[in-house]
Amino acid sequence: SDFRAKLLWERGAAGPLDPYTRDHSLTYGSGQQAAGSAAPDYQGAADRLNPEEAFVGAMSACHMLTFLAIAAHKKLHVEVYEDAATGSLGKNAEGRMAVTEVVLRPMVRFLPGVEVGAEALEKLHAAAHRGCFIAQSVKTAVRLEPGLLP
């Protein structure tokens, strides 16, 4: 499979103290559009998607989609899945800035009558992590803190 994203940046009205804007637009192959910028810590706009947040969101979504596929295959039907993922930016082993860790906190509620114990849940999430192509494509450490929703 091939995936596409088109990025457009234009100089606009940059001033002498800030020679360029970080704002840009992204158009994905699906037709979805996003207003992008740098993270606010790097002179970006807080109301636009930044690459670091997009990265954390992609990790979270990939894990969820893989988890749901594995659970459905095992006939362990999920009712609700939530995640409050976070990412940390810092210096990596080479001393370069990188997203050094992503923490996924997936909380799951299965349909009534579906019983999944803590050990089985941990195995499901481990399998989802191994199957998530984005997690397998990066050097970033990904930590899982799964749980069940009431």
Side-chain angles (χ1 to χ4, degrees):
S1 297
D2 291 321
F3 302 92
R4 294 177 174 20
K6 180 179 178 184
L7 183 139
L8 174 62
W9 174 89
E10 296 177 295
R11 174 165 297 283
L17 297 178
D18 189 5
Y20 65 96
T21 179
R22 278 75 174 162
D23 295 354
H24 55 275
S25 65
L26 293 157
T27 304
Y28 297 95
S30 64
Q32 297 297 308
Q33 295 182 334
S37 191
D41 291 349
Y42 299 96
Q43 301 176 326
D47 63 342
R48 289 173 167 251
L49 181 65
N50 65 64
E52 297 83 359
E53 288 176 330
F55 180 79
V56 172
M59 293 287 287
S60 177
C62 183
H63 184 87
M64 178 206 63
L65 292 166
T66 307
F67 180 91
L68 292 175
I70 292 168
H73 180 74
K74 294 180 177 286
K75 305 218 184 311
L76 300 171
H77 302 294
V78 175
E79 183 175 42
V80 178
Y81 183 110
E82 297 177 1
D83 190 6
T86 58
S88 299
L89 191 63
K91 295 216 174 172
N92 64 14
E94 293 87 33
R96 303 189 66 139
M97 290 301 289
V99 177
T100 55
E101 181 181 55
V102 172
V103 180
L104 304 179
R105 296 175 183 87
M107 300 295 289
V108 180
R109 180 171 47 239
F110 292 90
L111 286 175
V114 177
E115 299 296 325
V116 177
E119 186 176 328
L121 182 66
E122 193 171 311
K123 287 181 179 179
L124 285 168
H125 280 291
H129 180 67
R130 284 190 310 275
C132 171
F133 59 87
I134 292 178
Q136 299 309 309
S137 300
V138 299
K139 296 189 289 186
T140 300
V142 180
R143 188 163 33 108
L144 292 166
E145 297 177 354
L148 291 171
L149 291 167

